[in-house]
Amino acid sequence: MSKDKKNEGKEILEELKELSEWQKRNQEYLKKKAEEEAALAEEKEKERQARMGEESEKSEDQESETDPEDEESAKEKSEEKVASSEGDKDEEEIKESGFKEDEEQDKKDTKEKVAKAKIPGLHILRALTILFPSLLLLIISAYLLSPYANMKDIRVEGTVQTTADDILQASGIQDSDYTINLLLDKAKYEERIKSNYWVESAQLVYQFPTKFTIKVKEYDIVAYYISGENHYPILSSGQLETSAVSLVSLPETYLSVLFNDSEQIKVFVSELSQISPELKAAIQKVELAPSKVTSDLIRLTMNDSDEVLVPLSEMSKKLPYYSKIKPQLSEPSVIDMEAGIYSYTVADKLIMEAEEKAKQEAKEAEKKQEEERKRLEEEKKKQEEESNRNQTTQRSSRR
């Protein structure tokens, strides 16, 4: 009997395999329901057997004698019940094994479906290479079309001699320029700002979202060209400012330059930048003093009334010797560095200048006397010629 039930279970499993997915699920539901009913039936059977056992014990107590045939029949019934319970258990085991096999099959099917539905990574990568640039282009286009593309908050820092308007005008930045253009062409705008001759360096700094700061460093004023009452700044770049500054804005001490030749000023600023700050601060005034030998000779008047004669092209080389000579001077002196280096006092200079002036005046007096003598001789010669012409005319008239 148990073998027949096993065969029936196998046939049921084969039929389940051939069923559709919905039918399998329905069959599973029916199996579970049948299992629950069998479990309930088994419990009821056990309770019934327990009650029968109790009743049999009571009947055994009440009846002292029993029929052996009844005992045998009772044994056979109990054996049949055990066999039927064993068959039910086998059938339940077959059903459980079939249910487990169905579950395993369903898991395999779902795994196969997931594996089939999975997109290869290569296709995903290809899609990203197209989608990402397209999305980026869309964002940039939307930004350029929005009013935020032209919004700029520009500030200027570091201006002293110039104004923020001058810097903005030199930069060439327009209200219609895109913000992204300022970021991409920072170097171009910085070079434009440096076209202002006051600007030594310029830096365009961006701060999110629309703030720009132009940081400017101006050239220093190293001297002032003096023409009458007007003072014109000379920058450390060698540029001479064409606009005079007010006397109120002048510093307490400054270097005065009494020549305005652009090439000579550039050479002077270049040579001046190579000497020490202490020596530079000791110079009060610079003027041209060309000689027959040195055409670019200049005279430096120091703050302590000393004077230094030095070629402009050799100033940075020879002027440092003044610091070594100065301690040896007991009174204001002239240090001549035109050819070699030697010094003499200002009093000696005045005597020499007086002698030179006297010589010059004597030369001029001699020149005037010579010119007067030549004039007198020419007048005498003219008078003689005039008298000769008169005599010839008289003779001709007598004839």
Side-chain angles (χ1 to χ4, degrees), residues 71-238:
E71 290 177 1
E72 288 177 1
S73 62
K75 287 180 182 179
E76 287 177 0
K77 287 180 181 179
S78 62
E79 286 176 0
E80 287 178 359
K81 288 178 182 179
V82 170
S84 62
S85 62
E86 287 178 357
D88 293 336
K89 288 181 181 179
D90 292 337
E91 188 177 355
E92 288 176 0
E93 288 177 358
I94 291 167
K95 288 180 181 179
E96 287 178 0
S97 62
F99 181 69
K100 289 180 181 178
E101 288 179 0
D102 292 338
E103 285 184 348
E104 291 176 357
Q105 187 66 28
D106 290 338
K107 288 180 181 178
K108 288 180 181 179
D109 294 338
T110 54
K111 286 180 180 180
E112 288 177 359
K113 287 179 182 179
V114 170
K116 289 179 182 178
K118 189 176 180 181
I119 300 172
L122 181 62
H123 296 319
I124 296 171
L125 183 62
R126 287 177 180 174
L128 287 175
T129 54
I130 297 170
L131 291 173
F132 182 73
S134 302
L135 182 61
L136 184 63
L137 183 61
L138 179 63
I139 293 170
I140 292 171
S141 301
Y143 170 74
L144 293 176
L145 292 172
S146 69
Y148 293 100
N150 298 328
M151 291 179 65
K152 297 179 291 295
D153 179 16
I154 302 174
R155 300 179 184 179
V156 181
E157 295 179 358
T159 55
V160 178
Q161 304 298 333
T162 56
T163 62
D165 292 336
D166 294 336
I167 299 301
L168 290 173
Q169 186 176 359
S171 68
I173 299 173
Q174 304 294 328
D175 293 337
S176 59
D177 291 340
Y178 288 112
T179 306
I180 194 169
N181 286 345
L182 267 67
L183 290 172
L184 297 176
D185 297 333
K186 283 175 58 178
K188 181 182 74 174
Y189 290 104
E190 289 170 353
E191 287 298 321
R192 285 182 182 177
I193 295 167
K194 288 167 67 175
S195 64
N196 187 313
Y197 60 84
W198 276 103
V199 178
E200 181 179 0
S201 64
Q203 186 180 8
L204 185 62
V205 180
Y206 170 70
Q207 186 177 355
F208 185 83
T210 59
K211 184 179 178 181
F212 288 89
T213 304
I214 301 174
K215 296 183 178 181
V216 173
K217 181 184 178 183
E218 295 181 343
Y219 285 109
D220 297 326
I221 298 175
V222 296
Y224 289 89
Y225 164 63
I226 298 176
S227 177
E229 295 295 327
N230 296 324
H231 292 68
Y232 301 90
I234 297 173
L235 311 184
S236 58
S237 61

Side-chain angles (χ1 to χ4, degrees), residues 4 28 54 88 105 131 158 168 215 243 287 319 380 388:
D4 293 336
E28 289 172 4
E54 290 175 357
D88 293 336
Q105 187 66 28
L131 291 173
L168 290 173
K215 296 183 178 181
S243 301
E287 55 188 320
L319 191 59
K380 186 178 180 181
N388 291 333

Side-chain angles (χ1 to χ4, degrees), residues 272-379:
L272 191 68
S273 64
Q274 300 177 49
I275 64 176
S276 64
E278 295 80 11
L279 189 56
K280 193 187 302 183
I283 304 171
Q284 182 182 13
K285 183 175 64 175
V286 183
E287 55 188 320
L288 295 175
S291 65
K292 294 179 181 179
V293 179
T294 308
S295 60
D296 66 340
L297 189 68
I298 58 173
R299 180 185 290 110
L300 305 176
T301 302
M302 314 303 284
N303 292 327
D304 53 9
S305 300
D306 289 336
E307 294 181 4
V308 181
L309 294 172
V310 63
L312 179 60
S313 58
E314 299 178 354
M315 187 177 73
S316 61
K317 187 190 299 182
K318 292 186 174 182
L319 191 59
Y321 289 104
Y322 171 74
S323 301
K324 298 178 181 179
I325 297 170
K326 175 61 182 174
Q328 303 173 10
L329 303 176
S330 58
E331 56 182 304
S333 304
V334 178
I335 298 92
D336 193 338
M337 299 181 179
E338 181 180 6
I341 299 175
Y342 64 95
S343 64
Y344 49 88
T345 63
V346 174
D348 294 337
K349 176 198 170 187
L350 293 174
I351 293 169
M352 291 170 64
E353 287 178 352
E355 290 176 353
E356 188 69 25
K357 187 177 181 180
K359 288 179 182 179
Q360 191 69 25
E361 289 176 352
K363 286 181 181 180
E364 289 177 357
E366 288 178 2
K367 188 177 180 181
K368 286 180 180 180
Q369 289 176 0
E370 185 67 23
E371 288 176 355
E372 185 68 21
R373 187 179 61 78
K374 288 180 179 180
R375 188 180 64 78
L376 292 172
E377 287 179 356
E378 288 176 358
E379 287 179 356

Side-chain angles (χ1 to χ4, degrees), residues 56-64:
S56 62
E57 287 177 358
K58 288 178 181 179
S59 62
E60 285 177 358
D61 293 336
Q62 291 175 359
E63 296 178 359
S64 59

